[in-house]
Amino acid sequence: MKTFKKITSAVLAIASVLTITACEDTPAVSTAPSGTSSAPVTTASTTKATMNEEDASKVAEIDIGAKKLENGTVKFLSSWDINPTEGNPVPVSLEMFQTQFGGNIELVHTAWEERYSKLAILVQADDSPDMFSAADMDIFPKGAINGMFDPLDDYVDFDSELWAPMKAVNDQFAFKGKHYVGAYDTDSQCLMFYNKNTIASNGLPDPVQLLEEGNWTWDTFNDMMMRFCDREQGKFAVDGWWFEGAFSLTTGVPYIGMADGKIVHNLDDAMLEKAQDFMYNMNKNDLPFPKAENAWTIVPSNIGAGKTLFYPIGTYALYPYNNIIQEFGNMEDVMFVPMPKCPYTEKYYLPSIVDGFALCKGAKNPEGVGAYLNCCMASRDSEIAKEIGKRQAFDEHGWTQEQYDMYQKVRDMTAEAPVIELYNAVNDAVAGYINNPMKEGYNNGISWTQTREQIRAAVQSELDGANEKLGE
């Protein structure tokens, strides 16, 4: 996490990758209640899981006119495996792909931070993999500009009835009518986890109740933090690496976005300034867990210990085999809500990622990629898939009814007004200029006015170059 202070730059660099969705190396694979999503895994599965006969027979009823593929193997370049290991539930989409298309997903393993360099080597050697995850939100425009991906339009009919629910989202990853991402769902980028006992024992309002009343806002969030925090008792409001970017996006404005076919920055937008002022005041009021005083470490176990009020992190933390949610307390005591609503907007904007994949340049099996994406899309809204996913949530993941209901609510809310951030999706320079400086107010008490003046010209210069390449 580079900043304009050398000492901050050094210590935060270690943590920079942890702010990007799905880049943590966690030895598990997760299946969301929709039955389609996967969480990070670092090694190839040795023993594959199989779906039970009852669920498999139900999946067979989902008809998308599948035909057996001539080449069933889709090579997936990733640090994580779509195939779950034995004992973990099989996604409905994968079951469909295997049984209806005769397909299989073969992991081409790479370290997360090396995935683009390995892709470049394989493309140059005419040994391209077929598929690449879009969940890190850095495929477009970066991948298209650098010639790492091909459009999907010859293999996925984005204008079809099947893909209609995601047309508006996929069109955000299109240029000159060609789609570079096959996004089959949106998901919340970040949830605010907490321990219910901590809320109750400190006499604080229940965030779930506030949300139901339409009163989970920046203001009520700030009131809870001010009432809870006490440095002498070691009690702080927020820990983790995810807060600053996710909170900013509740304004509905990304730092870097697309407008009229161009990549643009919104550094001067008044809404972002309001978010930055809020986080600056959090620092001034001594509300964030002081990572700088603790060797830039995070302490998720403080949630379970009642020392930290909220821990913002991606949805994958919900799956117990990722070994994160256990830090927050007993499963029945852990709860979460979305980011609080910005009081200056009519809509309830939420930070969003997409579940989806891209087609690698020179892929040998683009038809297989298209078939797998159609399976993912078909299982997105399937009642059969939802039924299986709900059972898995309780039986396999140990969720409570309250957690399951909130998960569904947040997904629905995110789909209504998703905000997609693109600063990681242009080039490394833009990511560096934005990713860490926008955290300066929260971490170091430096005003956004000062920070944006230091980065604006450099960001615009990079965007000018990227737009020129995109036009080519």
Side-chain angles (χ1 to χ4, degrees):
M1 294 186 172
K2 295 179 293 182
T3 68
F4 297 100
K5 291 185 176 181
K6 291 183 179 179
I7 186 169
T8 306
S9 175
V11 294
L12 281 179
I14 301 171
S16 62
V17 297
L18 297 180
T19 64
I20 305 172
T21 300
C23 66
E24 289 84 352
D25 288 335
T26 47
V29 64
S30 75
T31 306
S34 65
T36 60
S37 301
S38 297
V41 184
T42 58
T43 57
S45 304
T46 54
T47 304
K48 304 299 183 185
T50 57
M51 183 171 279
N52 65 65
E53 291 185 7
E54 181 180 355
D55 286 348
S57 65
K58 293 178 181 177
V59 173
E61 299 174 15
I62 305 175
D63 182 16
I64 58 171
K67 296 181 180 179
K68 295 293 183 181
L69 293 164
E70 291 185 12
N71 177 8
T73 299
V74 170
K75 294 184 177 180
F76 175 47
L77 179 64
S78 178
S79 61
W80 54 276
D81 196 352
I82 289 172
N83 302 288
T85 54
E86 188 175 21
N88 286 320
V90 176
V92 171
S93 53
L94 182 59
E95 175 71 11
M96 287 181 64
F97 185 59
Q98 293 174 157
T99 58
Q100 298 188 29
F101 285 93
N104 68 90
I105 305 295
E106 178 183 308
L107 176 67
V108 180
H109 183 262
T110 180
W112 183 88
E113 64 274 10
E114 297 173 0
R115 67 201 193 288
Y116 273 101
S117 59
K118 185 163 184 175
L119 176 61
I121 291 170
L122 293 173
V123 169
Q124 188 174 13
D126 193 28
D127 188 25
S128 297
D130 300 305
M131 196 167 70
F132 197 93
S133 174
D136 292 304
M137 308 305 295
D138 59 359
I139 294 290
F140 184 83
K142 178 169 69 177
I145 290 172
N146 294 324
M148 291 292 100
F149 303 101
D150 282 330
L152 281 155
D153 301 80
D154 289 342
Y155 312 100
V156 173
D157 185 358
F158 290 100
D159 292 321
S160 66
E161 183 179 353
L162 175 64
W163 283 88
M166 289 296 292
K167 178 173 175 53
V169 172
N170 279 303
D171 284 350
Q172 295 184 52
F173 302 101
F175 187 70
K176 294 183 177 179
K178 299 295 184 180
H179 295 80
Y180 287 86
V181 170
Y184 56 86
D185 207 354
T186 57
D187 197 1
S188 174
Q189 183 200 44
C190 190
L191 302 173
M192 295 283 278
F193 282 87
Y194 62 92
N195 188 292
K196 293 190 292 184
N197 292 331
T198 301
I199 296 293
S201 63
N202 285 273
L204 299 173
D206 179 7
V208 172
Q209 185 66 33
L210 290 175
L211 182 66
E212 291 175 352
E213 295 170 352
N215 200 28
W216 174 234
T217 67
W218 290 8
D219 296 328
T220 52
F221 171 54
N222 187 67
D223 180 66
M224 291 180 69
M225 292 191 295
M226 294 294 291
R227 291 168 59 183
F228 176 80
C229 291
D230 187 328
R231 174 174 280 274
E232 291 185 1
Q233 296 184 40
K235 295 167 63 176
F236 295 96
V238 181
D239 193 7
W241 301 116
W242 291 63
F243 179 75
E244 304 93 334
F247 184 81
S248 296
L249 291 180
T250 64
T251 64
V253 180
Y255 289 92
I256 303 294
M258 295 287 293
D260 300 323
K262 297 284 187 180
I263 314 166
V264 299
H265 75 72
N266 298 306
L267 302 181
D268 298 305
D269 193 285
M271 297 302 292
L272 283 183
E273 186 164 354
K274 290 180 183 298
Q276 284 287 342
D277 286 346
F278 186 98
M279 293 187 287
Y280 174 85
N281 287 325
M282 285 181 66
N283 179 278
K284 291 303 182 184
N285 288 320
D286 207 16
L287 304 180
F289 177 76
K291 295 191 286 290
E293 299 172 17
N294 291 272
W296 292 99
T297 59
I298 54 177
V299 190
S301 60
N302 276 347
I303 291 288
K307 293 292 187 179
T308 300
L309 193 57
F310 291 105
Y311 197 96
I313 193 170
T315 57
Y316 68 90
L318 275 166
Y319 303 96
Y321 38 72
N322 282 330
N323 297 314
I324 298 171
I325 198 168
Q326 294 91 328
E327 299 280 356
F328 303 153
N330 296 326
M331 194 68 168
E332 63 272 16
D333 297 328
V334 177
M335 195 51 196
F336 58 91
V337 287
M339 300 299 293
K341 182 185 180 300
C342 173
Y344 308 106
T345 62
E346 291 186 10
K347 286 187 177 180
Y348 196 148
Y349 291 106
L350 287 175
S352 176
I353 61 170
V354 297
D355 294 325
F357 299 93
L359 177 65
C360 297
K361 186 77 173 179
K364 302 301 187 291
N365 190 9
E367 294 83 2
V369 175
Y372 179 67
L373 281 169
N374 284 335
C375 290
C376 292
M377 193 64 210
S379 62
R380 174 186 183 270
D381 294 321
S382 163
E383 291 302 320
I384 293 172
K386 290 179 180 179
E387 177 188 340
I388 293 172
K390 185 174 183 178
R391 183 193 56 75
Q392 289 175 344
F394 296 129
D395 297 347
E396 307 288 346
H397 308 318
W399 293 6
T400 65
Q401 183 69 51
E402 185 182 30
Q403 290 164 348
Y404 178 83
D405 291 343
M406 182 57 67
Y407 178 88
Q408 296 296 337
K409 183 177 182 65
V410 174
R411 286 180 70 88
D412 291 343
M413 291 174 63
T414 303
E416 288 177 7
V419 188
I420 295 175
E421 177 62 68
L422 293 181
Y423 70 71
N424 281 312
V426 181
N427 58 39
D428 291 344
V430 172
Y433 285 133
I434 303 294
N435 185 38
N436 302 295
M438 63 96 170
K439 299 175 174 62
E440 285 286 79
Y442 178 85
N443 283 315
N444 299 311
I446 298 175
S447 74
W448 177 238
T449 302
Q450 177 182 345
T451 298
R452 74 182 176 196
E453 288 301 319
Q454 292 178 304
I455 66 175
R456 184 193 292 106
V459 169
Q460 186 60 61
S461 177
E462 290 293 332
L463 297 189
D464 289 342
N467 280 317
E468 183 177 349
K469 292 180 180 179
L470 187 63
E472 296 171 357

